[in-house]
Amino acid sequence: MAKKPLSPEARSIINSQISRRALLAGAGAVAGAGALAACGSGGSSGAAKDTVRWANWTLYIDVDESGKKYPTLEAFTKQTGIKVKYSEDINDNDEFFGKVQGQLKLKKDIGYDIVTPTDWMASRFIRLGYTQKFDKANIPNAKNILPTLAHPSFDTNRDSSLTWQGIMAGLGWNTKVNPKGLKTVDDLWQPQNKGKIVVLSEMRDTIGVILLSQGIKPETCTEDQFMNAVDFLQKKIADGWIRGVKGNEYKEDLISGDATAVIAWSGDLFQLSTENEGKFDFAIPESGGTISGDNFLIPSTVTAESKVNAEKLINYYYEPAVAAEVAAYVNYVTPVQGAQAEMEKIDPTLAKSEYIFPTQATMSRLHVFKALSPAEETKWTEAFQAAAGN
């Protein structure tokens, strides 16, 4: 059967001069060094002078051809004199929260001056008093945030958070195993994928996508509807269709061939497609996908001097040209107004990408999971974790 043609944005990335297959190995080495620098720092006096320590997710920032440097971070340091210890230390929101919660409770340094959790976890950080309010005079570029992101329910005036990137969740697949692609959640359950399906440990994305396939909007779902979706997931696991419920490491299963179909994040799949000559692809299901954001937060334990440096870094990434440079690499939804015009200068094809600059038509197919009360969050998360086997 003829191979499905690549989307224009994927082709544009693949045709770029950077070989990101080499970068992944290099980026892992850089991340490991960053992680080592951060380890054991809890309870210390904090970051060194003129240094910002940033915990982020994997494959989530631009990397140069050598795989050893992050160009936008290098430019920031050159511009300000502030060094950045960048660590790919977030694999899953709950896992990361468990790592730092004890130190935050004790009001001790957690080893990071900036953390980048997803909306619902950012809400928890803010609700528990684990963040500091921004000095907005240090972040004048905050005015560049997209109007649709400017007033979230968990931080209505963006006093303590700013979006790093927007995240679409949908379906990803190995194009050799699934040459016709995946258009619906039902398409996951084809014989060639049995035992080779991985779904996200991010509850709101996995259950959100399942709910939509059942005709239910995640922004208004009831507890019974949620639990029915969890039961559906649990049965697919028990019947041997789903091999794992994972955080960012699901990418390794795709690369190794252990997974051939996934509920996944758009940017990851575009980067994996680039690294593997179009072997992977992504789509928003016909029934719809989810959208959320990862957010810059400054933990409550950060010193005054480090806080100012962190705010300078956040401000820097809200410059449209810098935001466009990052987006050209990560292929996630950029939250910065003006970045699309800057992307035109970098890559006109990517400037038209629905996955970086979604139109209203695309946005209408994406749904935000409802805000949960603390009691709901506990009960629903426990049900999801039980289904996942945790």
Side-chain angles (χ1 to χ4, degrees), residues 17 20 138 338:
Q17 295 180 349
R20 294 195 182 118
N138 293 331

Side-chain angles (χ1 to χ4, degrees), residues 161-234:
S161 69
L162 279 171
T163 305
W164 162 240
Q165 301 290 312
I167 317 150
M168 296 182 191
L171 304 176
W173 63 91
N174 181 312
T175 57
K176 293 181 180 179
V177 178
N178 296 278
K180 293 183 179 180
L182 306 181
K183 296 180 181 179
T184 70
V185 170
D186 285 344
D187 288 341
L188 287 169
W189 324 118
Q190 297 180 77
Q192 68 269 24
N193 295 323
K194 188 163 189 179
K196 293 190 172 185
I197 298 168
V198 176
V199 300
L200 293 166
S201 60
E202 200 58 56
M203 175 184 80
R204 289 156 179 80
D205 289 326
T206 289
I207 298 300
V209 168
I210 291 172
L211 283 167
L212 287 162
S213 74
Q214 297 173 340
I216 297 160
K217 292 184 177 180
E219 54 264 55
T220 56
C221 69
T222 66
E223 182 171 306
D224 284 346
Q225 290 169 334
F226 175 87
M227 293 302 174
N228 285 338
V230 169
D231 289 344
F232 176 87
L233 173 68
Q234 190 167 30

Side-chain angles (χ1 to χ4, degrees), residues 325-348:
E325 188 173 350
V326 173
Y329 185 86
V330 302
N331 278 255
Y332 280 101
V333 179
T334 179
V336 179
Q337 293 184 83
Q340 191 166 18
E342 293 295 332
M343 185 68 86
E344 287 278 359
K345 303 172 187 176
I346 300 172
D347 188 322

Side-chain angles (χ1 to χ4, degrees), residues 9 13 20 59-63 72 164-166 266-268 270-271 274 317 319-336 338-344 346-347 349-351 353 355-358:
E9 56 263 38
I13 303 167
R20 294 195 182 118
L59 302 183
Y60 219 19
I61 199 169
D62 52 306
V63 183
T72 56
W164 162 240
Q165 301 290 312
S266 57
D268 287 346
F270 279 110
Q271 289 180 59
T274 302
Y317 277 103
E319 292 178 11
V322 177
E325 188 173 350
V326 173
Y329 185 86
V330 302
N331 278 255
Y332 280 101
V333 179
T334 179
V336 179
Q340 191 166 18
E342 293 295 332
M343 185 68 86
E344 287 278 359
I346 300 172
D347 188 322
T349 302
L350 288 182
S353 171
Y355 296 101
I356 302 175
F357 307 104

